[in-house]
Amino acid sequence: RKEVEQDPGPFNVPEGATVAFNCTYSNSASQSFFWYRQDCRKEPKLLMSVYSSGNEDGRFTAQLNRASQYISLLIRDSKLSDSATYLCVVNNGAENSGYALNFGKGTSLLVTP
Amino acid sequence: EPEVTQTPSHQVTQMGQEVILRCVPISNHLYFYWYRQILGQKVEFLVSFYNNEISEKSEIFDDQFSVERPDGSNFTLKIRSTKLEDSAMYFCASSELFRAPETQYFGPGTRLLVL
């Protein structure tokens, strides 16, 4: 299975800071890209899908560079509640793949007061 | 908001025993999945299931594993003879067929400990 690579961190930032996470994927045929958030001992939860044109959801901005096989997530004005592990996730999207998700190991973020 | 549910939340078993992990996917979803996460490691795909058959399985999903949809609501993962290395969090997920099928919603997981 092709890999998804992330900097494991941890990233320790003060409240209000801007923080960026990066991710690379090795399968050039990948079609769908996501950022999930995982709190300690909890299930992954979809944060946002990532589109080639870039997309924004409130304080979160995701970018995709297909040529470089690179995905990013920017969090502005970070809150204490943003503390979690952020998972870069890639899906091949092919009918016969069963839509299996391929997860990175995650980047840990700790936002401090 | 509809959600995926899983039972039990925790299970402790002896090596060599059979375990069945249960999931109730979101009711209008048609794709079902099992993933596992060994402590401190990444979430790993095990198997996907659609139309009462396996769509894809990973190399982890060997002959010790099986899945079943015994009725219209439950989706189960059976491990026939558990090994120590099967200790992990097991997540069930489901996705809707026609809207962003690759957007999967995860259940809260079953933490399995094999002694």
Side-chain angles (χ1 to χ4, degrees):
Chain A
R1 179 170 287 274
K2 305 287 186 172
E3 295 300 321
V4 178
E5 301 289 343
Q6 295 181 251
D7 180 344
F11 284 57
N12 294 333
V13 303
E15 259 186 302
T18 295
V19 61
F21 305 136
N22 303 318
C23 166
T24 58
Y25 60 94
S26 59
N27 186 355
S28 59
S30 298
Q31 297 185 19
S32 303
F33 310 90
F34 310 93
W35 284 101
Y36 275 72
R37 170 194 168 127
Q38 186 174 32
D39 292 286
C40 188
R41 296 178 178 269
K42 300 285 190 182
E43 73 273 24
K45 291 190 176 177
L46 179 68
L47 182 64
M48 57 198 302
S49 300
V50 187
Y51 305 114
S52 296
S53 54
N55 48 300
E56 189 173 307
D57 182 1
R59 299 182 292 109
F60 299 85
T61 301
Q63 297 276 355
L64 167 65
N65 184 322
R66 283 186 184 268
S68 305
Q69 295 179 205
Y70 171 92
I71 306 164
S72 66
L73 176 68
L74 184 78
I75 305 175
R76 289 182 299 279
D77 187 24
S78 50
K79 314 286 185 197
L80 296 177
S81 56
D82 294 334
S83 298
T85 298
Y86 290 83
L87 310 177
C88 179
V89 183
V90 173
N91 167 282
N92 292 334
E95 188 74 28
N96 61 2
S97 81
Y99 301 104
L101 294 179
N102 190 5
F103 284 78
K105 206 170 174 184
T107 299
S108 176
L109 172 66
L110 178 63
V111 181
T112 55
Chain B
E1 184 179 323
E3 55 186 24
V4 177
T5 59
Q6 290 186 242
T7 54
S9 58
H10 295 78
Q11 179 142 9
V12 181
T13 190
Q14 295 289 327
M15 192 169 57
Q17 295 296 303
E18 174 183 288
V19 296
I20 298 176
L21 311 182
R22 292 185 167 79
C23 168
V24 179
I26 295 172
S27 62
N28 63 333
H29 286 189
L30 296 176
Y31 280 97
F32 314 116
Y33 311 82
W34 284 100
Y35 293 83
R36 80 171 185 192
Q37 187 175 28
I38 295 170
L39 188 64
Q41 298 189 23
K42 66 177 183 178
V43 177
E44 299 174 289
F45 168 74
L46 293 178
V47 66
S48 61
F49 191 86
Y50 169 69
N51 199 27
N52 282 320
E53 59 183 27
I54 290 174
S55 301
E56 184 186 12
K57 58 184 180 180
S58 71
E59 59 276 7
I60 303 169
F61 194 88
D62 60 22
D63 292 344
Q64 294 297 320
F65 292 89
S66 63
V67 289
E68 194 178 29
R69 189 154 162 82
D71 53 43
S73 59
N74 289 285
F75 179 51
T76 62
L77 174 69
K78 183 193 291 186
I79 310 175
R80 260 181 274 282
S81 178
T82 49
K83 307 183 191 69
L84 297 177
E85 55 265 35
D86 293 329
S87 295
M89 181 76 104
Y90 288 81
F91 295 109
C92 173
S94 69
S95 64
E96 191 175 359
L97 177 61
F98 294 111
R99 291 186 198 173
E102 61 272 19
T103 303
Q104 297 173 19
Y105 294 89
F106 284 74
T110 294
R111 186 169 298 280
L112 176 66
L113 178 60
V114 182
L115 301 176

